[in-house]
PDB file of all heavy atoms in Angstrom:
ATOM      1  N   GLY T 135       0.824  -1.210   0.000  1.00  0.00           N
ATOM      2  CA  GLY T 135       0.000   0.000   0.000  1.00  0.00           C
ATOM      3  C   GLY T 135       0.853   1.253   0.000  1.00  0.00           C
ATOM      4  O   GLY T 135       0.558   2.231  -0.706  1.00  0.00           O
ATOM      5  N   ASN T 136       1.932   1.229   0.770  1.00  0.00           N
ATOM      6  CA  ASN T 136       2.864   2.360   0.812  1.00  0.00           C
ATOM      7  C   ASN T 136       3.525   2.561  -0.546  1.00  0.00           C
ATOM      8  O   ASN T 136       3.675   3.701  -1.014  1.00  0.00           O
ATOM      9  CB  ASN T 136       3.923   2.122   1.886  1.00  0.00           C
ATOM     10  CG  ASN T 136       4.892   3.270   2.025  1.00  0.00           C
ATOM     11  OD1 ASN T 136       4.507   4.373   2.393  1.00  0.00           O
ATOM     12  ND2 ASN T 136       6.161   3.025   1.709  1.00  0.00           N
ATOM     13  N   ASP T 137       3.924   1.462  -1.193  1.00  0.00           N
ATOM     14  CA  ASP T 137       4.556   1.549  -2.515  1.00  0.00           C
ATOM     15  C   ASP T 137       3.603   2.145  -3.551  1.00  0.00           C
ATOM     16  O   ASP T 137       4.005   2.978  -4.376  1.00  0.00           O
ATOM     17  CB  ASP T 137       5.008   0.164  -2.982  1.00  0.00           C
ATOM     18  CG  ASP T 137       6.170  -0.380  -2.173  1.00  0.00           C
ATOM     19  OD1 ASP T 137       6.847   0.416  -1.491  1.00  0.00           O
ATOM     20  OD2 ASP T 137       6.393  -1.609  -2.225  1.00  0.00           O
ATOM     21  N   ILE T 138       2.346   1.706  -3.510  1.00  0.00           N
ATOM     22  CA  ILE T 138       1.350   2.213  -4.469  1.00  0.00           C
ATOM     23  C   ILE T 138       1.149   3.713  -4.279  1.00  0.00           C
ATOM     24  O   ILE T 138       1.114   4.489  -5.243  1.00  0.00           O
ATOM     25  CB  ILE T 138       0.019   1.455  -4.316  1.00  0.00           C
ATOM     26  CG1 ILE T 138       0.195  -0.009  -4.724  1.00  0.00           C
ATOM     27  CG2 ILE T 138      -1.079   2.103  -5.160  1.00  0.00           C
ATOM     28  CD1 ILE T 138      -0.976  -0.897  -4.359  1.00  0.00           C
ATOM     29  N   CYS T 139       1.031   4.130  -3.015  1.00  0.00           N
ATOM     30  CA  CYS T 139       0.874   5.559  -2.731  1.00  0.00           C
ATOM     31  C   CYS T 139       2.091   6.345  -3.211  1.00  0.00           C
ATOM     32  O   CYS T 139       1.959   7.401  -3.844  1.00  0.00           O
ATOM     33  CB  CYS T 139       0.667   5.779  -1.229  1.00  0.00           C
ATOM     34  SG  CYS T 139      -0.972   5.326  -0.623  1.00  0.00           S
ATOM     35  N   ALA T 140       3.287   5.828  -2.910  1.00  0.00           N
ATOM     36  CA  ALA T 140       4.520   6.531  -3.289  1.00  0.00           C
ATOM     37  C   ALA T 140       4.633   6.655  -4.800  1.00  0.00           C
ATOM     38  O   ALA T 140       5.059   7.701  -5.316  1.00  0.00           O
ATOM     39  CB  ALA T 140       5.730   5.787  -2.719  1.00  0.00           C
ATOM     40  N   THR T 141       4.240   5.622  -5.528  1.00  0.00           N
ATOM     41  CA  THR T 141       4.304   5.647  -7.000  1.00  0.00           C
ATOM     42  C   THR T 141       3.458   6.766  -7.577  1.00  0.00           C
ATOM     43  O   THR T 141       3.812   7.380  -8.590  1.00  0.00           O
ATOM     44  CB  THR T 141       3.848   4.284  -7.574  1.00  0.00           C
ATOM     45  OG1 THR T 141       4.733   3.264  -7.115  1.00  0.00           O
ATOM     46  CG2 THR T 141       3.841   4.305  -9.093  1.00  0.00           C
ATOM     47  N   HIS T 142       2.351   7.057  -6.906  1.00  0.00           N
ATOM     48  CA  HIS T 142       1.410   8.060  -7.422  1.00  0.00           C
ATOM     49  C   HIS T 142       1.462   9.372  -6.640  1.00  0.00           C
ATOM     50  O   HIS T 142       0.565  10.216  -6.778  1.00  0.00           O
ATOM     51  CB  HIS T 142      -0.007   7.482  -7.419  1.00  0.00           C
ATOM     52  CG  HIS T 142      -0.156   6.292  -8.328  1.00  0.00           C
ATOM     53  ND1 HIS T 142      -0.380   6.401  -9.684  1.00  0.00           N
ATOM     54  CD2 HIS T 142      -0.086   4.959  -8.071  1.00  0.00           C
ATOM     55  CE1 HIS T 142      -0.457   5.198 -10.216  1.00  0.00           C
ATOM     56  NE2 HIS T 142      -0.289   4.302  -9.254  1.00  0.00           N
ATOM     57  N   GLY T 143       2.493   9.541  -5.797  1.00  0.00           N
ATOM     58  CA  GLY T 143       2.689  10.803  -5.100  1.00  0.00           C
ATOM     59  C   GLY T 143       1.643  11.112  -4.041  1.00  0.00           C
ATOM     60  O   GLY T 143       1.313  12.281  -3.810  1.00  0.00           O
ATOM     61  N   ILE T 144       1.129  10.067  -3.394  1.00  0.00           N
ATOM     62  CA  ILE T 144       0.096  10.238  -2.367  1.00  0.00           C
ATOM     63  C   ILE T 144       0.700   9.909  -1.004  1.00  0.00           C
ATOM     64  O   ILE T 144       1.360   8.873  -0.856  1.00  0.00           O
ATOM     65  CB  ILE T 144      -1.103   9.310  -2.638  1.00  0.00           C
ATOM     66  CG1 ILE T 144      -1.700   9.604  -4.009  1.00  0.00           C
ATOM     67  CG2 ILE T 144      -2.162   9.454  -1.544  1.00  0.00           C
ATOM     68  CD1 ILE T 144      -2.729   8.584  -4.457  1.00  0.00           C
ATOM     69  N   PRO T 145       0.514  10.747   0.027  1.00  0.00           N
ATOM     70  CA  PRO T 145       1.057  10.444   1.357  1.00  0.00           C
ATOM     71  C   PRO T 145       0.403   9.190   1.950  1.00  0.00           C
ATOM     72  O   PRO T 145      -0.828   9.118   2.063  1.00  0.00           O
ATOM     73  CB  PRO T 145       0.712  11.687   2.188  1.00  0.00           C
ATOM     74  CG  PRO T 145       0.426  12.762   1.192  1.00  0.00           C
ATOM     75  CD  PRO T 145      -0.153  12.067  -0.005  1.00  0.00           C
ATOM     76  N   PHE T 146       1.205   8.225   2.328  1.00  0.00           N
ATOM     77  CA  PHE T 146       0.701   6.978   2.914  1.00  0.00           C
ATOM     78  C   PHE T 146      -0.016   7.245   4.235  1.00  0.00           C
ATOM     79  O   PHE T 146      -0.909   6.489   4.639  1.00  0.00           O
ATOM     80  CB  PHE T 146       1.859   6.003   3.125  1.00  0.00           C
ATOM     81  CG  PHE T 146       1.464   4.674   3.707  1.00  0.00           C
ATOM     82  CD1 PHE T 146       0.624   3.807   3.018  1.00  0.00           C
ATOM     83  CD2 PHE T 146       1.931   4.276   4.964  1.00  0.00           C
ATOM     84  CE1 PHE T 146       0.264   2.579   3.554  1.00  0.00           C
ATOM     85  CE2 PHE T 146       1.578   3.051   5.498  1.00  0.00           C
ATOM     86  CZ  PHE T 146       0.739   2.197   4.794  1.00  0.00           C
ATOM     87  N   GLU T 147       0.352   8.335   4.912  1.00  0.00           N
ATOM     88  CA  GLU T 147      -0.234   8.639   6.223  1.00  0.00           C
ATOM     89  C   GLU T 147      -1.745   8.850   6.155  1.00  0.00           C
ATOM     90  O   GLU T 147      -2.434   8.736   7.168  1.00  0.00           O
ATOM     91  CB  GLU T 147       0.433   9.873   6.822  1.00  0.00           C
ATOM     92  CG  GLU T 147       0.184  11.155   6.064  1.00  0.00           C
ATOM     93  CD  GLU T 147       0.969  12.335   6.620  1.00  0.00           C
ATOM     94  OE1 GLU T 147       2.129  12.123   7.041  1.00  0.00           O
ATOM     95  OE2 GLU T 147       0.407  13.442   6.622  1.00  0.00           O
ATOM     96  N   ILE T 148      -2.257   9.125   4.973  1.00  0.00           N
ATOM     97  CA  ILE T 148      -3.712   9.278   4.816  1.00  0.00           C
ATOM     98  C   ILE T 148      -4.418   7.969   5.192  1.00  0.00           C
ATOM     99  O   ILE T 148      -5.561   7.974   5.666  1.00  0.00           O
ATOM    100  CB  ILE T 148      -4.067   9.694   3.372  1.00  0.00           C
ATOM    101  CG1 ILE T 148      -3.502  11.090   3.067  1.00  0.00           C
ATOM    102  CG2 ILE T 148      -5.582   9.693   3.155  1.00  0.00           C
ATOM    103  CD1 ILE T 148      -3.710  11.525   1.632  1.00  0.00           C
ATOM    104  N   LEU T 149      -3.725   6.837   5.023  1.00  0.00           N
ATOM    105  CA  LEU T 149      -4.316   5.529   5.313  1.00  0.00           C
ATOM    106  C   LEU T 149      -4.150   5.110   6.771  1.00  0.00           C
ATOM    107  O   LEU T 149      -4.714   4.096   7.187  1.00  0.00           O
ATOM    108  CB  LEU T 149      -3.691   4.462   4.409  1.00  0.00           C
ATOM    109  CG  LEU T 149      -3.989   4.587   2.914  1.00  0.00           C
ATOM    110  CD1 LEU T 149      -3.192   3.551   2.129  1.00  0.00           C
ATOM    111  CD2 LEU T 149      -5.473   4.427   2.640  1.00  0.00           C
ATOM    112  N   HIS T 150      -3.372   5.853   7.546  1.00  0.00           N
ATOM    113  CA  HIS T 150      -3.112   5.465   8.937  1.00  0.00           C
ATOM    114  C   HIS T 150      -4.391   5.282   9.761  1.00  0.00           C
ATOM    115  O   HIS T 150      -4.514   4.285  10.488  1.00  0.00           O
ATOM    116  CB  HIS T 150      -2.189   6.483   9.607  1.00  0.00           C
ATOM    117  CG  HIS T 150      -0.768   6.399   9.143  1.00  0.00           C
ATOM    118  ND1 HIS T 150       0.240   7.215   9.624  1.00  0.00           N
ATOM    119  CD2 HIS T 150      -0.170   5.588   8.228  1.00  0.00           C
ATOM    120  CE1 HIS T 150       1.377   6.918   9.026  1.00  0.00           C
ATOM    121  NE2 HIS T 150       1.159   5.937   8.173  1.00  0.00           N
ATOM    122  N   PRO T 151      -5.363   6.212   9.695  1.00  0.00           N
ATOM    123  CA  PRO T 151      -6.593   6.007  10.485  1.00  0.00           C
ATOM    124  C   PRO T 151      -7.365   4.759  10.070  1.00  0.00           C
ATOM    125  O   PRO T 151      -7.961   4.083  10.913  1.00  0.00           O
ATOM    126  CB  PRO T 151      -7.403   7.285  10.206  1.00  0.00           C
ATOM    127  CG  PRO T 151      -6.384   8.303   9.832  1.00  0.00           C
ATOM    128  CD  PRO T 151      -5.346   7.550   9.057  1.00  0.00           C
ATOM    129  N   LEU T 152      -7.356   4.439   8.766  1.00  0.00           N
ATOM    130  CA  LEU T 152      -8.026   3.236   8.292  1.00  0.00           C
ATOM    131  C   LEU T 152      -7.351   1.986   8.849  1.00  0.00           C
ATOM    132  O   LEU T 152      -8.022   1.044   9.294  1.00  0.00           O
ATOM    133  CB  LEU T 152      -8.008   3.198   6.762  1.00  0.00           C
ATOM    134  CG  LEU T 152      -8.572   1.930   6.115  1.00  0.00           C
ATOM    135  CD1 LEU T 152     -10.044   1.756   6.467  1.00  0.00           C
ATOM    136  CD2 LEU T 152      -8.363   1.964   4.606  1.00  0.00           C
ATOM    137  N   ILE T 153      -6.021   1.996   8.845  1.00  0.00           N
ATOM    138  CA  ILE T 153      -5.274   0.862   9.397  1.00  0.00           C
ATOM    139  C   ILE T 153      -5.581   0.697  10.883  1.00  0.00           C
ATOM    140  O   ILE T 153      -5.833  -0.415  11.363  1.00  0.00           O
ATOM    141  CB  ILE T 153      -3.758   1.053   9.178  1.00  0.00           C
ATOM    142  CG1 ILE T 153      -3.432   1.006   7.677  1.00  0.00           C
ATOM    143  CG2 ILE T 153      -2.964  -0.012   9.932  1.00  0.00           C
ATOM    144  CD1 ILE T 153      -2.011   1.420   7.357  1.00  0.00           C
ATOM    145  N   ALA T 154      -5.576   1.817  11.604  1.00  0.00           N
ATOM    146  CA  ALA T 154      -5.843   1.778  13.046  1.00  0.00           C
ATOM    147  C   ALA T 154      -7.251   1.255  13.337  1.00  0.00           C
ATOM    148  O   ALA T 154      -7.452   0.439  14.247  1.00  0.00           O
ATOM    149  CB  ALA T 154      -5.652   3.168  13.656  1.00  0.00           C
ATOM    150  N   GLU T 155      -8.249   1.704  12.557  1.00  0.00           N
ATOM    151  CA  GLU T 155      -9.630   1.262  12.765  1.00  0.00           C
ATOM    152  C   GLU T 155      -9.789  -0.214  12.419  1.00  0.00           C
ATOM    153  O   GLU T 155     -10.511  -0.952  13.108  1.00  0.00           O
ATOM    154  CB  GLU T 155     -10.577   2.099  11.912  1.00  0.00           C
ATOM    155  CG  GLU T 155     -12.034   1.641  11.924  1.00  0.00           C
ATOM    156  CD  GLU T 155     -12.675   1.671  13.302  1.00  0.00           C
ATOM    157  OE1 GLU T 155     -12.154   2.374  14.201  1.00  0.00           O
ATOM    158  OE2 GLU T 155     -13.705   0.991  13.484  1.00  0.00           O
ATOM    159  N   THR T 156      -9.106  -0.668  11.391  1.00  0.00           N
ATOM    160  CA  THR T 156      -9.163  -2.077  10.998  1.00  0.00           C
ATOM    161  C   THR T 156      -8.651  -2.962  12.121  1.00  0.00           C
ATOM    162  O   THR T 156      -9.261  -3.982  12.464  1.00  0.00           O
ATOM    163  CB  THR T 156      -8.330  -2.311   9.725  1.00  0.00           C
ATOM    164  OG1 THR T 156      -8.835  -1.491   8.665  1.00  0.00           O
ATOM    165  CG2 THR T 156      -8.384  -3.769   9.308  1.00  0.00           C
ATOM    166  N   ILE T 157      -7.526  -2.570  12.711  1.00  0.00           N
ATOM    167  CA  ILE T 157      -6.937  -3.343  13.794  1.00  0.00           C
ATOM    168  C   ILE T 157      -7.813  -3.289  15.042  1.00  0.00           C
ATOM    169  O   ILE T 157      -8.052  -4.299  15.708  1.00  0.00           O
ATOM    170  CB  ILE T 157      -5.519  -2.841  14.096  1.00  0.00           C
ATOM    171  CG1 ILE T 157      -4.605  -3.094  12.892  1.00  0.00           C
ATOM    172  CG2 ILE T 157      -4.956  -3.511  15.350  1.00  0.00           C
ATOM    173  CD1 ILE T 157      -3.255  -2.434  12.985  1.00  0.00           C
ATOM    174  N   GLU T 158      -8.314  -2.093  15.357  1.00  0.00           N
ATOM    175  CA  GLU T 158      -9.156  -1.934  16.535  1.00  0.00           C
ATOM    176  C   GLU T 158     -10.447  -2.747  16.414  1.00  0.00           C
ATOM    177  O   GLU T 158     -10.914  -3.376  17.368  1.00  0.00           O
ATOM    178  CB  GLU T 158      -9.487  -0.454  16.738  1.00  0.00           C
ATOM    179  CG  GLU T 158     -10.451  -0.159  17.874  1.00  0.00           C
ATOM    180  CD  GLU T 158      -9.877  -0.481  19.242  1.00  0.00           C
ATOM    181  OE1 GLU T 158      -8.631  -0.579  19.365  1.00  0.00           O
ATOM    182  OE2 GLU T 158     -10.666  -0.636  20.190  1.00  0.00           O
ATOM    183  N   LYS T 159     -10.998  -2.771  15.216  1.00  0.00           N
ATOM    184  CA  LYS T 159     -12.278  -3.439  14.995  1.00  0.00           C
ATOM    185  C   LYS T 159     -12.210  -4.934  15.286  1.00  0.00           C
ATOM    186  O   LYS T 159     -13.104  -5.502  15.914  1.00  0.00           O
ATOM    187  CB  LYS T 159     -12.739  -3.217  13.553  1.00  0.00           C
ATOM    188  CG  LYS T 159     -14.162  -3.702  13.265  1.00  0.00           C
ATOM    189  CD  LYS T 159     -14.492  -3.621  11.785  1.00  0.00           C
ATOM    190  CE  LYS T 159     -14.494  -2.195  11.272  1.00  0.00           C
ATOM    191  NZ  LYS T 159     -14.912  -2.136   9.846  1.00  0.00           N
ATOM    192  N   ILE T 160     -11.123  -5.592  14.848  1.00  0.00           N
ATOM    193  CA  ILE T 160     -11.068  -7.047  15.009  1.00  0.00           C
ATOM    194  C   ILE T 160     -10.718  -7.459  16.439  1.00  0.00           C
ATOM    195  O   ILE T 160     -10.713  -8.647  16.755  1.00  0.00           O
ATOM    196  CB  ILE T 160     -10.104  -7.700  13.991  1.00  0.00           C
ATOM    197  CG1 ILE T 160      -8.674  -7.160  14.114  1.00  0.00           C
ATOM    198  CG2 ILE T 160     -10.649  -7.539  12.586  1.00  0.00           C
ATOM    199  CD1 ILE T 160      -7.776  -7.968  14.980  1.00  0.00           C
ATOM    200  N   THR T 161     -10.421  -6.482  17.303  1.00  0.00           N
ATOM    201  CA  THR T 161     -10.277  -6.799  18.725  1.00  0.00           C
ATOM    202  C   THR T 161     -11.632  -6.765  19.426  1.00  0.00           C
ATOM    203  O   THR T 161     -11.749  -7.196  20.569  1.00  0.00           O
ATOM    204  CB  THR T 161      -9.330  -5.805  19.433  1.00  0.00           C
ATOM    205  OG1 THR T 161      -9.914  -4.497  19.452  1.00  0.00           O
ATOM    206  CG2 THR T 161      -7.984  -5.746  18.743  1.00  0.00           C
ATOM    207  N   GLN T 162     -12.661  -6.287  18.720  1.00  0.00           N
ATOM    208  CA  GLN T 162     -13.988  -6.149  19.317  1.00  0.00           C
ATOM    209  C   GLN T 162     -15.022  -7.076  18.694  1.00  0.00           C
ATOM    210  O   GLN T 162     -15.992  -7.462  19.348  1.00  0.00           O
ATOM    211  CB  GLN T 162     -14.453  -4.699  19.209  1.00  0.00           C
ATOM    212  CG  GLN T 162     -13.545  -3.716  19.934  1.00  0.00           C
ATOM    213  CD  GLN T 162     -14.008  -2.279  19.788  1.00  0.00           C
ATOM    214  OE1 GLN T 162     -15.115  -1.993  19.340  1.00  0.00           O
ATOM    215  NE2 GLN T 162     -13.144  -1.342  20.155  1.00  0.00           N
ATOM    216  N   ILE T 163     -14.846  -7.402  17.421  1.00  0.00           N
ATOM    217  CA  ILE T 163     -15.777  -8.308  16.753  1.00  0.00           C
ATOM    218  C   ILE T 163     -14.983  -9.354  15.975  1.00  0.00           C
ATOM    219  O   ILE T 163     -13.801  -9.184  15.687  1.00  0.00           O
ATOM    220  CB  ILE T 163     -16.741  -7.566  15.802  1.00  0.00           C
ATOM    221  CG1 ILE T 163     -15.967  -6.889  14.656  1.00  0.00           C
ATOM    222  CG2 ILE T 163     -17.577  -6.559  16.560  1.00  0.00           C
ATOM    223  CD1 ILE T 163     -16.874  -6.240  13.618  1.00  0.00           C
ATOM    224  N   ASN T 164     -15.646 -10.441  15.616  1.00  0.00           N
ATOM    225  CA  ASN T 164     -15.023 -11.503  14.840  1.00  0.00           C
ATOM    226  C   ASN T 164     -14.562 -10.952  13.493  1.00  0.00           C
ATOM    227  O   ASN T 164     -15.316 -10.225  12.832  1.00  0.00           O
ATOM    228  CB  ASN T 164     -16.044 -12.629  14.633  1.00  0.00           C
ATOM    229  CG  ASN T 164     -15.430 -13.866  14.013  1.00  0.00           C
ATOM    230  OD1 ASN T 164     -14.869 -13.820  12.923  1.00  0.00           O
ATOM    231  ND2 ASN T 164     -15.549 -14.987  14.711  1.00  0.00           N
ATOM    232  N   PRO T 165     -13.340 -11.279  13.057  1.00  0.00           N
ATOM    233  CA  PRO T 165     -12.853 -10.777  11.760  1.00  0.00           C
ATOM    234  C   PRO T 165     -13.787 -11.101  10.596  1.00  0.00           C
ATOM    235  O   PRO T 165     -13.859 -10.326   9.628  1.00  0.00           O
ATOM    236  CB  PRO T 165     -11.502 -11.482  11.596  1.00  0.00           C
ATOM    237  CG  PRO T 165     -11.049 -11.754  12.984  1.00  0.00           C
ATOM    238  CD  PRO T 165     -12.300 -12.043  13.763  1.00  0.00           C
ATOM    239  N   ASP T 166     -14.505 -12.222  10.683  1.00  0.00           N
ATOM    240  CA  ASP T 166     -15.454 -12.552   9.615  1.00  0.00           C
ATOM    241  C   ASP T 166     -16.521 -11.470   9.472  1.00  0.00           C
ATOM    242  O   ASP T 166     -16.967 -11.158   8.362  1.00  0.00           O
ATOM    243  CB  ASP T 166     -16.138 -13.885   9.907  1.00  0.00           C
ATOM    244  CG  ASP T 166     -15.210 -15.071   9.693  1.00  0.00           C
ATOM    245  OD1 ASP T 166     -14.129 -14.863   9.098  1.00  0.00           O
ATOM    246  OD2 ASP T 166     -15.548 -16.188  10.121  1.00  0.00           O
ATOM    247  N   LEU T 167     -16.943 -10.900  10.603  1.00  0.00           N
ATOM    248  CA  LEU T 167     -17.971  -9.863  10.586  1.00  0.00           C
ATOM    249  C   LEU T 167     -17.415  -8.503  10.201  1.00  0.00           C
ATOM    250  O   LEU T 167     -18.176  -7.592   9.860  1.00  0.00           O
ATOM    251  CB  LEU T 167     -18.642  -9.769  11.964  1.00  0.00           C
ATOM    252  CG  LEU T 167     -19.305 -11.047  12.480  1.00  0.00           C
ATOM    253  CD1 LEU T 167     -19.851 -10.824  13.892  1.00  0.00           C
ATOM    254  CD2 LEU T 167     -20.411 -11.483  11.535  1.00  0.00           C
ATOM    255  N   ALA T 168     -16.100  -8.356  10.251  1.00  0.00           N
ATOM    256  CA  ALA T 168     -15.463  -7.068   9.949  1.00  0.00           C
ATOM    257  C   ALA T 168     -15.097  -6.923   8.475  1.00  0.00           C
ATOM    258  O   ALA T 168     -14.711  -5.845   8.037  1.00  0.00           O
ATOM    259  CB  ALA T 168     -14.212  -6.892  10.808  1.00  0.00           C
ATOM    260  N   GLN T 169     -15.231  -8.027   7.718  1.00  0.00           N
ATOM    261  CA  GLN T 169     -14.801  -7.992   6.318  1.00  0.00           C
ATOM    262  C   GLN T 169     -15.675  -7.054   5.486  1.00  0.00           C
ATOM    263  O   GLN T 169     -16.902  -7.108   5.541  1.00  0.00           O
ATOM    264  CB  GLN T 169     -14.847  -9.401   5.716  1.00  0.00           C
ATOM    265  CG  GLN T 169     -14.260  -9.493   4.320  1.00  0.00           C
ATOM    266  CD  GLN T 169     -12.757  -9.247   4.326  1.00  0.00           C
ATOM    267  OE1 GLN T 169     -12.023  -9.917   5.042  1.00  0.00           O
ATOM    268  NE2 GLN T 169     -12.303  -8.286   3.543  1.00  0.00           N
ATOM    269  N   THR T 170     -15.040  -6.185   4.718  1.00  0.00           N
ATOM    270  CA  THR T 170     -15.738  -5.297   3.789  1.00  0.00           C
ATOM    271  C   THR T 170     -14.960  -5.292   2.479  1.00  0.00           C
ATOM    272  O   THR T 170     -13.975  -6.012   2.328  1.00  0.00           O
ATOM    273  CB  THR T 170     -15.819  -3.855   4.338  1.00  0.00           C
ATOM    274  OG1 THR T 170     -14.486  -3.349   4.536  1.00  0.00           O
ATOM    275  CG2 THR T 170     -16.583  -3.803   5.652  1.00  0.00           C
ATOM    276  N   GLY T 171     -15.382  -4.464   1.515  1.00  0.00           N
ATOM    277  CA  GLY T 171     -14.607  -4.269   0.298  1.00  0.00           C
ATOM    278  C   GLY T 171     -15.236  -4.842  -0.953  1.00  0.00           C
ATOM    279  O   GLY T 171     -16.238  -5.562  -0.905  1.00  0.00           O
ATOM    280  N   PRO T 172     -14.644  -4.532  -2.110  1.00  0.00           N
ATOM    281  CA  PRO T 172     -15.221  -4.948  -3.400  1.00  0.00           C
ATOM    282  C   PRO T 172     -15.265  -6.457  -3.601  1.00  0.00           C
ATOM    283  O   PRO T 172     -16.173  -6.957  -4.273  1.00  0.00           O
ATOM    284  CB  PRO T 172     -14.296  -4.275  -4.430  1.00  0.00           C
ATOM    285  CG  PRO T 172     -13.034  -3.969  -3.695  1.00  0.00           C
ATOM    286  CD  PRO T 172     -13.445  -3.710  -2.284  1.00  0.00           C
ATOM    287  N   ALA T 173     -14.317  -7.198  -3.023  1.00  0.00           N
ATOM    288  CA  ALA T 173     -14.342  -8.652  -3.176  1.00  0.00           C
ATOM    289  C   ALA T 173     -15.572  -9.235  -2.497  1.00  0.00           C
ATOM    290  O   ALA T 173     -16.260 -10.094  -3.061  1.00  0.00           O
ATOM    291  CB  ALA T 173     -13.069  -9.264  -2.593  1.00  0.00           C
ATOM    292  N   LEU T 174     -15.862  -8.778  -1.291  1.00  0.00           N
ATOM    293  CA  LEU T 174     -17.033  -9.267  -0.552  1.00  0.00           C
ATOM    294  C   LEU T 174     -18.320  -8.902  -1.285  1.00  0.00           C
ATOM    295  O   LEU T 174     -19.262  -9.690  -1.338  1.00  0.00           O
ATOM    296  CB  LEU T 174     -17.041  -8.669   0.857  1.00  0.00           C
ATOM    297  CG  LEU T 174     -18.193  -9.114   1.757  1.00  0.00           C
ATOM    298  CD1 LEU T 174     -18.013 -10.562   2.182  1.00  0.00           C
ATOM    299  CD2 LEU T 174     -18.296  -8.218   2.990  1.00  0.00           C
ATOM    300  N   ARG T 175     -18.359  -7.701  -1.869  1.00  0.00           N
ATOM    301  CA  ARG T 175     -19.562  -7.222  -2.568  1.00  0.00           C
ATOM    302  C   ARG T 175     -19.682  -7.798  -3.980  1.00  0.00           C
ATOM    303  O   ARG T 175     -20.690  -7.586  -4.650  1.00  0.00           O
ATOM    304  CB  ARG T 175     -19.542  -5.693  -2.655  1.00  0.00           C
ATOM    305  CG  ARG T 175     -19.531  -4.967  -1.323  1.00  0.00           C
ATOM    306  CD  ARG T 175     -19.808  -3.473  -1.523  1.00  0.00           C
ATOM    307  NE  ARG T 175     -18.845  -2.853  -2.428  1.00  0.00           N
ATOM    308  CZ  ARG T 175     -17.696  -2.283  -2.049  1.00  0.00           C
ATOM    309  NH1 ARG T 175     -17.371  -2.295  -0.756  1.00  0.00           N
ATOM    310  NH2 ARG T 175     -16.886  -1.728  -2.930  1.00  0.00           N
TER     311      ARG T 175
END
């Protein structure tokens, strides 16, 4: 993800809150219930 952002001149830090929420979420609910994204849809 960092490489993709760097290739296109986008600060990777924009994704930090998403990473933090992803990690926090699976400490509270089953990872199966936390799955989102285009593959699931």
Side-chain angles (χ1 to χ4, degrees):
N136 182 64
D137 291 342
I138 294 169
C139 285
T141 298
H142 297 277
I144 301 170
F146 181 64
E147 66 185 37
I148 295 175
L149 294 174
H150 287 181
L152 175 62
I153 294 170
E155 174 61 19
T156 301
I157 295 170
E158 175 66 20
K159 188 187 296 184
I160 59 94
T161 66
Q162 299 179 12
I163 63 175
N164 188 301
D166 287 348
L167 302 177
Q169 187 67 55
T170 60
L174 181 72
R175 299 192 303 269

